[in-house]
Amino acid sequence: MIHRMATNIHRRVGGWKSWVQLVRDSRFASALPAIIIAFAVAHLPVPDGLTPTSMRLLGVFAGVVMGLLTADYDMSIVLAVALLVLTLTSSFMCTTTDGHHIECDRCRSVYHGKSGHWHEYQCDPIGGSFDVAISGFSNKVAWLVFSAFHIGKAVEKTGFGRRVSLALVTSMGRSTLGIGYAVCLAELVLAPFIPSNTARGGGIVYPIVESVIASLGIDTDGGENPTGGFLVMVASTANLLSSSLFITGMAGNPIVASKATSIFGIEFGFSDWVVGASVPTLLLLCILPPALRLFLRPRVNYTQLSREIRRQHLEMGQVSSNELKLCGTLLTCLVLWVGSPYFGIDATVVAYMAIVVLTLLDVLTWDDIVKNYKAWDTFFWLASFITLAEQLSALGVTDWIGNSLSQSLHESSPLVCTLTLALAYFFSMYLFSSISSHVVAFAGPFFAAGNILGCPPKLLTILIALFSSMAGVLTPFSTGSVAIYASCGYISQPRWFLLGLLSAVVIIGITFSVGMLWWKILGWY
């Protein structure tokens, strides 16, 4: 009897251990930290200025960020689950049939109108939430990135990128640093003329970087690789740094300048921007490539590379007709991107036009577009992030953060307030998947808070101006160009977050030391 009971207990304990081991080994277990974080944040006491709906959204967003760090699922799956949860819980801002903007969980509820009569909010809580969930898929930034991927495919398919990359590696490719600096130089030259960092990085520089990687003999589908990782991280960082150097380097930069003018009453034009940004930004462009090389330790056999380059030069032969068609298309795109204020054609329309033209010219086939899985995958998760970012703003989370900051800094000196606001602005980029959205949502509130706290106007302006683009290093989803480089797969998502944080430390250190000294010389504080 006792033996039978012991046997039963042993079986039950063994079965329990098997279940525990099964859960531990499952992919679902890797998502548990994200689920716990999302649930915990969503059920925190609701602070003044927020609602239960905005807390649910903030909780899911926190869970998404944790999921990207810990969960053994593709980014698109994590985002698909997040959008589904937010849809089923009606945790978005819906629009009624008569134009009211209300939280989706209030749809079909009644309210007392100005006329004294009771009315019902005419909207579907679940259906309306789903409409919001898929709204990011019509966003211009998502389509710009999608189009840039296909332009990159054309550059790869025709061999044009390979030809340019071979010339680039031949002239500056005596070391990994040389290749890295060549990419930085390309970004720096193009930045004043192309006001879309995604069009510049994704449509022009990225295809060349990808071809350089292929020329180094690295398998583009082979997963993590230190050399490939080094080059995409350098290219991504150079794109962001060059965007911060010129007021025309990124679409959101003029918004920063106009907000500074309206709130502080100062003029902060092209010359002020370049002069203020020049010293810290150019120093960072020199420092970050060797710093990233130290972190990633790329290895290249240069003797073998030189032989391989000579062999590939001979193999390339004469320029093909498809390469000429592609060159003509890219040149047209470049002219339209540079002359966007004169032609009145949006950068996204130009990029979309490019893939249509390349298809009509038989440079690309429809099969090429359908099979470009990286383009479709990035389009899905970037559009999803854009939806989340827009809803964080619509539900008041971004305004709440800005207001809370100004109230907590009343006892500090103006200089301390300036640096604190700049730091908070930098790290608030974690909440956004678009630099322009970040600028639109936070530049105004942070300038307003700085004005109340007596911050030096030009000092706060240049810090917000620089950090608007530079903060993009924090995540692999901060802007379209970064998303393109991150999707290459040479660096895992958790490591990208880590390298982004390390890059942020370098950026903040240089800005708060060399930058502050430079701005003191300029008399800006």
Side-chain angles (χ1 to χ4, degrees):
M1 180 75 173
I2 295 174
H3 176 71
R4 185 180 299 171
M5 290 177 61
T7 301
N8 289 335
I9 292 172
H10 178 74
R11 286 176 178 171
R12 290 178 181 177
V13 171
W16 172 252
K17 287 182 177 178
S18 298
W19 277 105
V20 170
Q21 187 63 36
L22 181 64
V23 171
R24 184 181 298 170
D25 294 340
S26 71
R27 296 174 69 194
F28 179 76
S30 66
L32 285 177
I35 296 171
I36 293 169
I37 288 290
F39 187 84
V41 172
H43 289 83
L44 287 173
V46 181
D48 292 337
L50 294 182
T51 65
T53 303
S54 55
M55 288 301 294
R56 289 197 301 272
L57 176 62
L58 184 59
V60 170
F61 186 84
V64 166
V65 174
M66 179 59 69
L68 296 179
L69 293 171
T70 64
D72 185 25
Y73 290 94
D74 291 333
M75 187 184 294
S76 292
I77 295 177
V78 174
L79 269 299
V81 171
L83 293 181
L84 178 61
V85 170
L86 292 169
T87 297
L88 295 178
T89 57
S90 302
S91 300
F92 286 126
M93 183 71 77
C94 283
T95 303
T96 64
T97 54
D98 55 353
H100 286 93
H101 297 288
I102 63 164
E103 294 171 356
C104 292
D105 57 1
R106 294 178 60 196
C107 287
R108 295 178 181 161
S109 63
V110 295
Y111 67 98
H112 198 254
K114 293 181 180 179
S115 61
H117 297 92
W118 289 95
H119 304 275
E120 182 183 71
Y121 286 119
Q122 297 295 321
C123 55
D124 178 8
I126 303 296
S129 294
F130 187 68
D131 287 341
V132 175
I134 61 175
S135 62
F137 294 91
S138 63
N139 185 276
K140 289 182 180 179
V141 173
W143 278 97
L144 179 59
V145 172
F146 179 75
S147 301
F149 264 104
H150 294 301
I151 294 172
K153 181 66 177 178
V155 171
E156 174 193 341
K157 181 181 177 181
T158 60
F160 176 70
R162 184 182 171 199
R163 190 181 297 277
V164 172
S165 69
L166 288 173
L168 193 64
V169 173
T170 300
S171 60
M172 300 184 70
R174 294 177 179 85
S175 67
T176 48
L177 267 184
I179 300 171
Y181 281 129
V183 173
C184 291
L185 184 61
E187 278 283 355
L188 200 58
V189 170
L190 293 171
F193 310 108
I194 303 177
S196 168
N197 68 310
T198 301
R200 185 173 70 249
I204 298 175
V205 179
Y206 162 73
I208 296 173
V209 171
E210 192 175 41
S211 297
V212 168
I213 291 171
S215 297
L216 292 172
I218 298 169
D219 183 4
T220 55
D221 295 317
E224 293 186 51
N225 180 281
T227 304
F230 167 76
L231 290 175
V232 297
M233 278 298 294
V234 166
S236 171
T237 306
N239 178 264
L240 297 169
L241 292 175
S242 62
S243 297
S244 70
L245 184 55
F246 305 98
I247 194 172
T248 54
M250 190 268 293
N253 287 351
I255 299 173
V256 174
S258 65
K259 291 287 185 182
T261 300
S262 63
I263 293 173
F264 291 123
I266 61 172
E267 289 297 327
F268 204 79
F270 188 92
S271 58
D272 282 332
W273 193 298
V274 172
V275 170
S278 58
V279 172
T281 303
L282 292 174
L283 183 59
L284 283 166
L285 279 168
C286 293
I287 287 176
L288 277 172
L292 289 169
R293 186 180 67 168
L294 181 65
F295 294 145
L296 290 164
R297 301 184 182 280
R299 297 177 182 176
V300 178
N301 185 327
Y302 296 106
T303 304
Q304 178 183 340
L305 177 60
S306 298
R307 287 198 300 266
E308 179 65 15
I309 289 174
R310 285 195 298 270
R311 185 190 67 78
Q312 290 189 32
H313 265 303
L314 294 173
E315 189 181 88
M316 287 292 294
Q318 298 296 316
V319 177
S320 67
S321 61
N322 275 350
E323 286 181 86
L324 293 175
K325 293 175 186 176
L326 176 63
C327 284
T329 305
L330 290 180
L331 184 61
T332 303
C333 288
L334 187 60
V335 170
L336 292 174
W337 277 330
V338 172
S340 179
Y342 306 102
F343 297 113
I345 304 177
D346 188 82
T348 303
V349 178
V350 174
Y352 181 75
M353 179 182 68
I355 63 172
V356 173
V357 169
L358 290 171
T359 305
L360 293 174
L361 293 175
D362 293 324
V363 176
L364 287 174
T365 66
W366 184 245
D367 200 45
D368 292 326
I369 293 174
V370 170
K371 291 181 178 178
N372 194 348
Y373 72 93
K374 285 185 179 180
W376 294 101
D377 179 55
T378 304
F379 177 71
F380 182 88
W381 64 255
L382 182 59
S384 302
F385 265 122
I386 289 170
T387 295
L388 293 180
E390 289 176 346
Q391 288 299 299
L392 284 167
S393 180
L395 285 165
V397 176
T398 52
D399 286 340
W400 174 77
I401 294 172
N403 292 333
S404 299
L405 280 169
S406 62
Q407 293 173 8
S408 63
L409 291 172
H410 273 299
E411 303 298 323
S412 302
S413 68
L415 185 59
V416 171
C417 290
T418 302
L419 299 181
T420 305
L421 285 172
L423 277 175
Y425 182 81
F426 189 98
F427 286 104
S428 66
M429 189 65 212
Y430 275 118
L431 299 174
F432 291 86
S433 59
S434 164
I435 291 177
S436 296
S437 297
H438 183 221
V439 170
V440 170
F442 271 0
F446 273 71
F447 280 146
N451 192 36
I452 293 170
L453 295 167
C455 298
K458 282 201 169 183
L459 179 61
L460 183 59
T461 300
I462 191 61
L463 284 168
I464 297 297
L466 292 179
F467 285 174
S468 290
S469 295
M470 291 181 182
V473 301
L474 288 170
T475 70
F477 53 79
S478 59
T479 186
S481 57
V482 175
I484 290 171
Y485 288 116
S487 68
C488 293
Y490 300 120
I491 299 177
S492 65
Q493 295 293 335
R495 199 172 192 201
W496 192 289
F497 274 98
L498 175 61
L499 288 171
L501 189 58
L502 292 172
S503 299
V505 170
V506 175
I507 288 170
I508 292 169
I510 294 297
T511 304
F512 282 2
S513 56
V514 177
M516 291 297 289
L517 177 61
W518 174 239
W519 301 321
K520 185 71 173 178
I521 293 171
L522 293 176
W524 286 6
Y525 71 99

